[in-house]
């Protein structure tokens, strides 16, 4: 066994969705606690010792629970590296990666079947939607994948809609663990099975998570107040060589250090976190605030839509701030822009309906499945 100090450093760069990527620096001991204790999975208390890690790994192996984890998303992304690779390694298990650089749902399921994987790690609907279609097609062709070993599908980083989860559970009797967090910290999670109701963007708070309003108040459950998500379970030391952003993000609240995310949410009367979206992407239109993620999910509920991104485009003609505009991946010969607008109008308030909908063959995303909002905005310029 290699002896290491808990003061050793570990760093992972953010995906850069809201700007330039930032190096997030952890104390290694804190980071191992974060990954192993399963505060994503089991809610174990932190911290734990290295001996605890070894003992739990041996215990699970003695029960035949050695994790065989297939990582569908890139390892440069926290979801793939932490949920997929590190957890399996810390448990003395196996990590499987895909042969191709791009994501191929058919290849992923074939490899999961061949290796008898019991866990798959993905990034939201951008991975899960083609996975459901691959499962549907395999059944239609009469050659379903042998996925009897599958026990868990875990996702983070991008919205995983209720409809997509239901599609996966149609084929697989698994737990779907949808973790809400960022490189800076895990904040909430939702576990879905065939026997539990599924809601989009609704999560259970993890220990140490709270919401802070823009004027510094803590959001009380059921109050209807909206705040930024703050997590205190395991907080990074800093952003690498960026003291200004470090001071703005890693803050002390009531004497406890927190990582303050860019995501806005509320807490309902049942202590569930209801996610709205990132404040940096919020669209201001005629005095109203629109979170793109809510409109994107509505568009993706249309049966002919494969993917969607929503952005705010400056409304120079009226001076009302921004127009809600959408780029949608769909078959333009089968659905029109006006039909998609009518679909959203049937689900959301009128001011949230996109003024312009552009239909494309494919919505651009990063290799990790993250939204490319600059690309979406460029479609309207």
């Amino acid at each position: 066994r290699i002896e290491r100090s808990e003061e050793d450093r570990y760093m992972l760069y953010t995906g850069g969705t809201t700007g330039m990527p930032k190096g997030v620096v952890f104390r290694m001991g804190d980071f191992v606690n974060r990954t192993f204790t399963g505060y994503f999975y089991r809610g174990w208390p932190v911290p734990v010792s290295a001996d605890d890690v070894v003992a739990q790994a041996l215990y699970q192996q003695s029960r035949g629970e050695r994790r065989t984890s297939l990582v569908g998303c890139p390892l440069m992304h926290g979801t793939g590296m932490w949920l997929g690779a590190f957890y399996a390694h810390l448990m003395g298990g196996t990590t499987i990666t895909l042969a191709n650089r791009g994501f191929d749902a058919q290849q992923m399921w074939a490899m999961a079947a061949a290796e008898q994987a019991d866990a798959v790690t993905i990034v939201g609907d951008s991975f899960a939607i083609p996975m459901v279609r691959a499962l549907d097609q395999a059944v239609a062709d009469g050659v379903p994948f042998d996925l009897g070993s599958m026990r868990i599908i875990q996702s983070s980083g991008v919205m995983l809609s209720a409809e997509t989860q239901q599609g996966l559970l149609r084929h697989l009797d698994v737990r779907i663990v949808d973790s809400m967090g960022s490189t800076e910290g895990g904040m909430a999670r939702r576990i879905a099975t065939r026997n539990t109701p599924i809601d989009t963007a609704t999560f259970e708070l993890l220990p140490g998570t709270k919401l802070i309003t823009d004027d510094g108040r803590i959001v009380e459950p059921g109050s209807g107040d909206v705040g930024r998500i703050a997590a205190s379970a395991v907080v990074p030391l800093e952003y690498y060589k960026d003291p200004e952003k470090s001071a703005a993000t890693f803050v002390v609240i009531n004497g406890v250090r927190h990582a303050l995310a860019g995501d806005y949410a509320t807490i309902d009367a049942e202590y569930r976190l209801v996610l709205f979206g990132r404040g940096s992407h919020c669209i201001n239109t005629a005095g109203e605030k629109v979170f793109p993620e809510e409109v994107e999910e509505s568009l993706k509920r249309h049966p002919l839509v494969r993917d969607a991104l929503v952005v705010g485009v400056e409304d120079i003609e009226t001076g009302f701030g921004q127009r809600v505009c959408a780029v949608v991946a769909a078959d333009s010969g089968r659905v029109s822009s006006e039909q998609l607008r009518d679909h959203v109008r049937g689900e959301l308030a009128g001011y949230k309906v996109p003024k312009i909908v552009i239909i494309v063959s494919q919505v651009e995303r990063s290799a990790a499945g993250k939204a490319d909002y600059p690309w979406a905005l460029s479609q309207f310029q």
Side-chain angles (χ1 to χ4, degrees):
R1 170 169 127 187
I2 300 174
E3 294 295 336
R4 296 208 179 269
S5 167
E6 290 194 353
E7 295 301 315
D8 287 350
R9 301 295 191 256
Y10 167 79
M11 181 170 70
L12 183 72
Y13 273 85
T14 64
T17 305
T18 58
M20 292 295 291
K22 301 178 287 293
V24 182
V25 182
F26 290 89
R27 183 181 289 108
M28 194 65 201
D30 293 343
F31 178 79
V32 170
N33 281 326
R34 166 183 178 161
T35 306
F36 174 75
T37 60
Y39 93 86
F40 284 121
Y41 303 103
R42 303 175 189 271
W44 291 346
V46 290
V48 297
S49 69
D51 289 338
D52 292 329
V53 174
V54 174
Q56 183 64 25
L58 291 173
Y59 172 71
Q60 291 200 204
Q61 288 187 36
S62 71
R63 292 166 52 90
E65 298 178 2
R66 188 172 185 268
R67 173 62 57 84
T68 302
S69 175
L70 193 158
V71 185
C73 49
L75 292 179
M76 52 71 65
H77 187 249
T79 299
M81 182 60 78
W82 297 348
L83 298 187
F86 278 8
Y87 185 78
H89 283 172
L90 284 167
M91 295 306 299
T94 301
T95 299
I96 308 165
T97 58
L98 300 179
N100 296 341
R101 291 177 66 87
F103 178 69
D104 183 319
Q106 291 277 356
Q107 180 200 78
M108 192 209 73
W109 286 130
M111 185 170 291
E115 300 293 338
Q116 289 294 283
D118 60 6
V120 166
T121 302
I122 59 173
V123 180
D125 275 356
S126 51
F127 284 73
I129 289 175
M131 288 164 60
V132 171
R133 289 178 176 151
L135 292 170
D136 288 343
Q137 189 62 54
V139 170
D141 293 341
V143 286
F145 297 101
D146 177 12
L147 299 171
S149 62
M150 192 63 57
R151 296 289 178 266
I152 182 170
I153 295 174
Q154 47 202 9
S155 173
S156 185
V158 171
M159 194 81 75
L160 185 62
S161 66
E163 293 75 16
T164 306
Q165 293 182 64
Q166 289 162 354
L168 290 167
L169 291 170
R170 236 184 10 252
H171 296 278
L172 303 167
D173 188 7
V174 297
R175 288 190 309 151
I176 299 177
V177 180
D178 187 13
S179 298
M180 193 268 142
S182 64
T183 313
E184 293 84 352
M187 303 154 189
R189 70 175 180 184
R190 174 182 53 210
I191 298 177
T193 69
R194 287 178 171 177
N195 301 317
T196 59
I198 306 172
D199 296 315
T200 300
T202 301
F203 302 86
E204 300 172 12
L205 291 171
L206 290 173
T209 298
K210 56 178 61 72
L211 303 185
I212 308 298
T213 64
D214 287 340
D215 59 3
R217 292 178 294 108
I218 295 177
V219 173
E220 297 297 331
S223 67
D225 289 341
V226 175
R228 289 175 66 184
I229 305 173
S232 65
V234 180
V235 182
L237 295 172
E238 62 183 356
Y239 287 128
Y240 184 60
K241 293 185 177 180
D242 198 333
E244 184 175 337
K245 288 182 179 177
S246 297
T249 301
F250 308 121
V251 300
V252 176
I253 303 171
N254 293 340
V256 178
R257 198 160 177 269
H258 289 71
L260 192 60
D263 300 281
Y264 281 79
T266 190
I267 304 175
D268 67 17
E270 298 179 2
Y271 285 77
R272 297 178 305 178
L273 183 145
V274 181
L275 180 66
F276 294 128
R278 283 202 172 261
S280 57
H281 296 153
C282 188
I283 300 168
N284 293 294
T285 177
E288 301 284 359
K289 293 186 181 296
V290 178
F291 287 94
E293 292 88 344
E294 182 183 16
V295 185
E296 290 166 2
E297 290 310 305
S298 176
L299 285 164
K300 288 190 287 186
R301 281 192 286 271
H302 190 285
L304 297 180
V305 170
R306 296 188 297 276
D307 201 358
L309 290 180
V310 172
V311 293
V313 178
E314 291 302 320
D315 193 348
I316 299 175
E317 295 180 4
T318 66
F320 284 166
Q322 299 171 304
R323 291 176 294 172
V324 179
C325 298
V327 184
V328 175
D331 186 343
S332 59
R334 299 179 63 194
V335 66
S336 68
S337 298
E338 192 56 39
Q339 287 173 321
L340 294 176
R341 295 180 72 248
D342 287 343
H343 170 76
V344 176
R345 190 177 289 109
E347 295 190 350
L348 304 178
Y351 66 88
K352 299 179 181 180
V353 176
K355 297 296 188 292
I356 302 174
V357 176
I358 295 176
I359 297 176
V360 298
S361 59
Q362 181 176 334
V363 164
E364 292 295 322
R365 289 182 176 270
S366 71
K370 291 295 189 75
D372 189 341
Y373 285 113
W375 170 83
L377 190 59
S378 73
Q379 305 305 299
F380 301 94
Q381 296 174 342

